[in-house]
């Protein structure tokens, strides 16, 4: 009888314990007190999840924040919410579809016409475990959105970041990069495709892009960091019923979006990180990068291949 009562009470016990367990598992907290009046930030995918909470915190600190998202209507609702909770009216929504290079170029053109500065670029948006599909430009969706889309966006905004230095670029990667490989003969999944591995490959690309960008930007005042946000309750798993089931089953071990935003905020705000440009962080600390993620030869080749695919010069 006691065992049956415990079993029946277990969901309620777990519900009560969830905040404490999550706090215990999420020991990375951005403690920076830096304020951002007069600073300009862009957060991609800011209409939900980690991006939304990242944008909220930047707005709370006084920055002018652009929510760069595909769903403008949803973005406007989020902007209104952030404005109400922070008292910052400078929270703006702009259309950005990372699966379409025309949309990326249009976003940047309009942004450059509006703003004289850009101090923080958070490349946060992403897709995960999509069925095989292609972007508007014919790129496999994971590599197209998670890597090439942000690669092009950063390229087009780089001069503004240099002019506004010191400035930072934060690329949201994942622990999943450890399972990733850059197969140049199958970069677009033409020969073999697995949705889970495609995600891992794209997250490895984020790591390699960050390292190569840091090398090229040395001395420019632009620094860059990649981050693992942790396992976070978000819409990222919407394409996988298995992942949604696992998320629901182990919900007490899943971070909230606010907790998941901490390492992005840490890399965007913490003073004294400049000499760690190109590094990978998790739980607001330096983290271990896979051997593939430390391969400078692959990083440079990926840079060149990415430029060729996007039709941009490779000497930026």
């Amino acid at each position: 009888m006691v065992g049956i009562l415990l079993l029946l009470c277990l969901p309620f016990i777990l519900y009560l314990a969830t905040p404490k367990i999550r706090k215990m598992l999420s020991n990375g907290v951005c403690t920076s007190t830096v304020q951002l009046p007069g600073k300009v930030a862009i957060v991609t995918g800011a209409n939900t999840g980690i991006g939304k909470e990242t944008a909220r915190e930047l707005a709370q600190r006084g920055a002018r924040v652009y929510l760069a998202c595909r769903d403008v209507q949803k973005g406007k609702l989020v902007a209104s919410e952030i404005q109400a909770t922070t008292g910052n009216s400078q929270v703006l929504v702009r259309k950005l579809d990372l699966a379409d290079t025309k949309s990326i170029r249009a976003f940047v053109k309009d942004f450059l016409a509006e703003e004289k500065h850009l101090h923080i670029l958070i490349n946060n948006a992403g897709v995960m475990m999509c069925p095989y599909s292609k972007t508007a430009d014919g790129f496999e969706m994971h590599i197209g959105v998670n890597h090439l889309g942000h690669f092009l966006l950063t390229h087009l905004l780089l001069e503004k970041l240099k002019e506004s230095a010191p400035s930072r670029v934060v690329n949201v990667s994942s622990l999943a990069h450890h399972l990733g490989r850059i197969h140049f003969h199958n970069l677009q999944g033409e020969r073999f495709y697995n949705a889970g591995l495609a995600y891992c490959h794209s997250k490895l690309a984020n790591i390699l892009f960050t390292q190569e960008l840091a090398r090229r930007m040395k001395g420019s005042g632009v620094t860059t960091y990649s981050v693992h946000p942790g396992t976070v309750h978000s819409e990222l798993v919407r394409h996988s019923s298995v992942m949604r089931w696992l998320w629901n089953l182990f919900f007490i071990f899943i971070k909230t979006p606010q907790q998941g935003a901490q390492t992005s905020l840490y890399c965007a705000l913490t003073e004294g990180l400049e000499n760690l440009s190109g590094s990978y962080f998790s739980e607001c600390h330096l983290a271990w990068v896979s051997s593939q993620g430390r391969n400078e030869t692959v990083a440079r080749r990926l840079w060149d291949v990415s430029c060729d695919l996007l039709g941009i010069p490779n000497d930026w």
Side-chain angles (χ1 to χ4, degrees):
M1 178 65 72
V2 174
I4 294 174
L5 287 174
L6 285 174
L7 187 61
L8 292 173
C9 291
L10 184 59
F12 182 65
I13 294 171
L14 289 176
Y15 175 78
L16 292 178
T18 293
K20 291 183 179 180
I21 293 174
R22 281 178 171 164
K23 185 176 181 180
M24 180 178 66
L25 294 174
S26 179
N27 55 28
V29 177
C30 176
T31 58
S32 171
T33 59
V34 168
Q35 297 299 303
L36 302 170
K39 302 297 184 181
V40 180
I42 294 173
V43 183
T44 68
N47 60 331
T48 187
I50 299 171
K52 175 182 175 180
E53 296 305 319
T54 302
R56 186 197 305 276
E57 182 62 27
L58 296 176
Q60 182 69 56
R61 293 171 185 253
R64 181 175 170 89
V65 184
Y66 282 79
L67 312 185
C69 42
R70 185 177 56 177
D71 190 333
V72 173
Q73 290 307 117
K74 190 172 183 179
K76 288 180 178 179
L77 292 175
V78 170
S80 296
E81 177 189 324
I82 293 176
Q83 289 168 357
T85 57
T86 65
N88 184 346
S89 62
Q90 298 300 298
V91 181
L92 309 169
V93 181
R94 297 293 181 268
K95 171 81 171 182
L96 174 65
D97 184 353
L98 289 161
D100 186 346
T101 58
K102 290 182 179 178
S103 176
I104 298 169
R105 290 181 180 278
F107 168 84
V108 173
K109 181 180 178 181
D110 291 344
F111 175 83
L112 295 179
E114 284 186 79
E115 292 292 341
K116 295 181 180 179
H117 302 287
L118 175 60
H119 304 95
I120 299 172
L121 171 60
I122 310 264
N123 289 323
N124 165 84
V127 295
M128 179 180 180
M129 298 187 72
C130 303
Y132 185 79
S133 55
K134 294 185 177 182
T135 69
D137 301 273
F139 306 133
E140 186 276 317
M141 192 62 69
H142 289 92
I143 202 74
V145 171
N146 296 352
H147 171 59
L148 292 173
H150 282 129
F151 187 94
L152 178 61
L153 179 67
T154 305
H155 164 70
L156 296 173
L157 291 169
L158 196 58
E159 286 306 312
K160 189 62 66 179
L161 286 161
K162 288 180 180 178
E163 293 169 8
S164 308
S167 55
R168 296 187 181 185
V169 178
V170 178
N171 296 316
V172 178
S173 181
S174 171
L175 182 68
H177 85 271
H178 283 275
L179 297 177
R181 297 291 184 273
I182 303 300
H183 299 297
F184 291 103
H185 66 284
N186 190 45
L187 194 62
Q188 308 288 341
E190 308 96 326
R191 300 185 180 186
F192 170 78
Y193 181 77
N194 175 278
L197 288 177
Y199 174 74
C200 298
H201 301 335
S202 70
K203 294 293 100 177
L204 174 59
N206 294 153
I207 298 277
L208 295 168
F209 170 45
T210 301
Q211 293 183 357
E212 183 63 11
L213 181 63
R215 186 183 73 81
R216 291 170 180 252
M217 291 300 104
K218 191 173 183 178
S220 70
V222 179
T223 53
T224 181
Y225 314 89
S226 57
V227 306
H228 168 56
T231 306
V232 181
H233 181 73
S234 71
E235 295 182 4
L236 192 61
V237 297
R238 61 186 177 274
H239 293 293
S240 172
S241 57
V242 173
M243 293 299 291
R244 290 198 303 273
W245 178 78
L246 289 172
W247 254 236
N248 291 330
L249 182 63
F250 297 104
F251 71 97
I252 62 171
F253 302 108
I254 308 296
K255 289 184 180 182
T256 65
Q258 191 271 338
Q259 290 171 329
Q262 294 303 302
T263 305
S264 293
L265 291 166
Y266 176 86
C267 289
L269 301 171
T270 303
E271 296 175 306
L273 288 187
E274 289 76 14
N275 63 333
L276 295 175
S277 183
S279 298
Y280 169 66
F281 289 79
S282 176
E283 299 294 349
C284 300
H285 291 90
L286 281 171
W288 183 252
V289 176
S290 72
S291 59
Q292 289 287 316
R294 301 192 304 272
N295 191 317
E296 293 183 8
T297 301
V298 173
R300 294 179 185 185
R301 185 179 175 190
L302 179 62
W303 182 285
D304 290 340
V305 169
S306 299
C307 289
D308 289 343
L309 288 170
L310 293 165
I312 59 177
N314 64 5
D315 58 350
W316 53 287

